[in-house]
Amino acid sequence: MLPGTGAALRTAAERALAGADVVEMIDIGYALIADRASDLAARLFRRATELAPGEPRAHNGLGVALAHTRRHPQAADAFARARELAPRWINPLINEAEERTLLGDNDAAERLWREAATLAPDDRRPAIGIAMALGQRGDLDAALPLATAAAAADPSNPRAWQVAGQLAEWAWRHDEALDAFRRMLDLVPQSSRAWTGIASALLATGRWDEGFDALEHRRYGVHAGRRFANVPAWDGRPLDGTLVVHTDQGYGDMLMQARFLAGLRDRVARIVVLLDGYGVRLAPLFVRIAGVDRVATSEAELASERVAACAALASLAFRARAAPPFLADRIPYVAPSDARRTAFADVVASPRTRVGVVWSVAPRDEIPYVAQLKSLPAAVVAGWMDAAPHVEWHSLQPGTGGDPAHHGLDATRLRFHGARLVDFDATAALANAMDVIVSADTAVAHLAGALGKPVWLVDRANCDWRWRVDLAAWYPSIRVFRQARMRDWSAPAGAVANALRDLPGA
């Protein structure tokens, strides 16, 4: 009999790793996954595949463990190997199909889902998977009826309602999306995905109070679950003590919500913004936002604070009872440091019209296909440079994602600042030096809007709720060029090219 959970299970795993009993490794591996120890499970399953390379259960288990730790490409490969070894086993087939869907490999995903439908005609999952693969490919006309039919045929399946809601939202059919996510919530009352879908449908149609309230039920991302379990969540009432406002959602979402800090400051004795983990890159920028008394980059730094309550950054609009125009009169509410401004003095000195561009979006581990949907082909940027050779082009994204040479772009025409863009303070300084910013990355669009800079967002058709409402209320300086159809950049790319031709050269 296997140990139940915790230390005893981990001890058994270490002992199994030193042995050669593959069956025991597989059994303990699945127990570890159930006990949220997937990294250790992956070690066990990998060892099992080395000892018994022809054992499909070992490869399938490895795939499950890798999927749980968000190593999705490797998980898909592990499932593919299990499927090769056991072609009639439905589990690795379904598992690989799910991973290929998540990765945005939609042709492979559809093929696998259809194979699963043939292998297991009574299984409801393939119809849902086919709908999602078609939807991610951009064929919503085919995907949405299929998803709706799958949900109607299996109304007790929350995944069916989730996909139906997701595809309806992508098609801008908000009432249908709201109904589907509410049906999902009836089945799984604590589902963060259902609550997020409900909030998105409400906020996309301007139902602010209901939408921001629904958003309070969501918990996802790097910091899943409410942080600081022993500290009360702030209810918005006056607070005699320190309010800790912490990271939640993406960079752009946090920048958007930061505008409410100043207005909330008079309700509390002190505001400390905790930007740890992935949020550290925002810290040098947040120290100058009105209403912030201090920025911390680790929980250990809070030891000296009299913490009375906490709130996620994404909760600030709800606490502020936000509605249009969303304090747009306070823009700019972020500013780069003097040191960063000085570092980009050479850029400011140029007499030419300066255009900053961001075309490649960094992938999010939990939803890999989203970056694929948002990123522009490098050829689009090349076309813009051809359309506007009279302006000076600058890449505003760090690392290889913004390196023109890495994407086959002409580095003599597109200046790369990747090594200098170490945080959002540096990016803000460079953005502030631009005359126009053209961005497919919503984080940079939020940053530019918060700076009050002219920003042209090149947006996907199935965009987030934040970009479906009156954008002038959030950022008066923004202009949106949106796809008419998912994955088709031709219309927005052409419109941007025309607008660029109208820019002065100096």
Side-chain angles (χ1 to χ4, degrees), residues 116-183:
T118 301
L119 182 62
D122 295 330
D123 195 317
R124 304 283 189 180
R125 292 174 293 176
I128 301 166
I130 292 168
M132 193 63 182
L134 292 173
Q136 286 180 194
R137 188 186 293 146
D139 190 0
L140 294 177
D141 290 341
L144 189 50
L146 185 59
T148 302
D154 192 10
S156 63
N157 185 340
R159 173 62 176 166
W161 290 112
Q162 179 193 339
V163 170
Q166 183 76 73
L167 296 176
E169 181 189 5
W170 286 358
W172 292 58
R173 291 158 68 164
H174 301 300
D175 288 341
E176 292 178 35
L178 186 60
D179 177 68
F181 284 120
R182 282 176 170 162
R183 295 286 295 269

Side-chain angles (χ1 to χ4, degrees), residues 134-143 170-172 373 459-463 481-493:
L134 292 173
Q136 286 180 194
R137 188 186 293 146
D139 190 0
L140 294 177
D141 290 341
W170 286 358
W172 292 58
L373 291 174
D459 202 15
R460 56 191 171 118
N462 61 325
C463 60
F481 299 80
R482 182 173 290 126
Q483 291 175 333
R485 185 179 178 86
M486 284 175 61
R487 295 186 176 274
D488 182 0
W489 292 108
S490 58

Side-chain angles (χ1 to χ4, degrees), residues 2 9 12-13 15-17 19-34 37 40-65 82 85 89 91:
L2 292 176
L9 182 59
R15 187 171 57 249
L17 277 169
D21 188 334
V22 171
V23 173
E24 182 184 34
M25 290 179 184
I26 292 171
D27 290 341
I28 293 176
Y30 278 111
L32 286 167
I33 290 170
L40 181 54
R43 288 176 56 201
L44 263 179
F45 283 121
R46 194 174 298 282
R47 179 58 179 156
T49 63
E50 293 168 355
L51 293 171
E55 173 53 73
R57 292 177 302 158
H59 292 280
N60 187 69
L62 176 60
V64 173
L85 294 168
W89 188 19
N91 286 11

Side-chain angles (χ1 to χ4, degrees), residues 219-262:
R219 289 290 179 265
Y220 63 91
V222 175
H223 298 298
R226 191 177 75 77
R227 301 191 70 184
F228 309 108
N230 297 323
V231 178
W234 188 44
D235 60 8
R237 288 182 289 187
L239 188 69
D240 181 19
T242 297
L243 171 66
V244 173
V245 179
H246 57 81
T247 50
D248 189 36
Q249 301 195 15
Y251 291 125
D253 306 320
M254 292 190 284
L255 283 164
M256 180 185 76
Q257 297 274 352
R259 72 185 66 209
F260 300 112
L261 286 163

Side-chain angles (χ1 to χ4, degrees), residues 271-324:
I271 290 180
V272 174
V273 179
L274 174 62
L275 295 171
D276 56 351
Y278 72 104
V280 168
R281 286 174 55 83
L282 286 169
L285 194 63
F286 268 63
V287 295
R288 286 178 303 283
I289 292 178
V292 176
D293 293 290
R294 179 188 175 196
V295 171
T297 56
S298 72
E299 289 191 26
E301 295 176 39
L302 302 177
S304 60
E305 298 288 341
R306 189 165 60 91
V307 178
C310 64
L313 270 161
S315 296
L316 298 186
F318 177 66
R319 296 303 171 206
R321 310 307 296 175

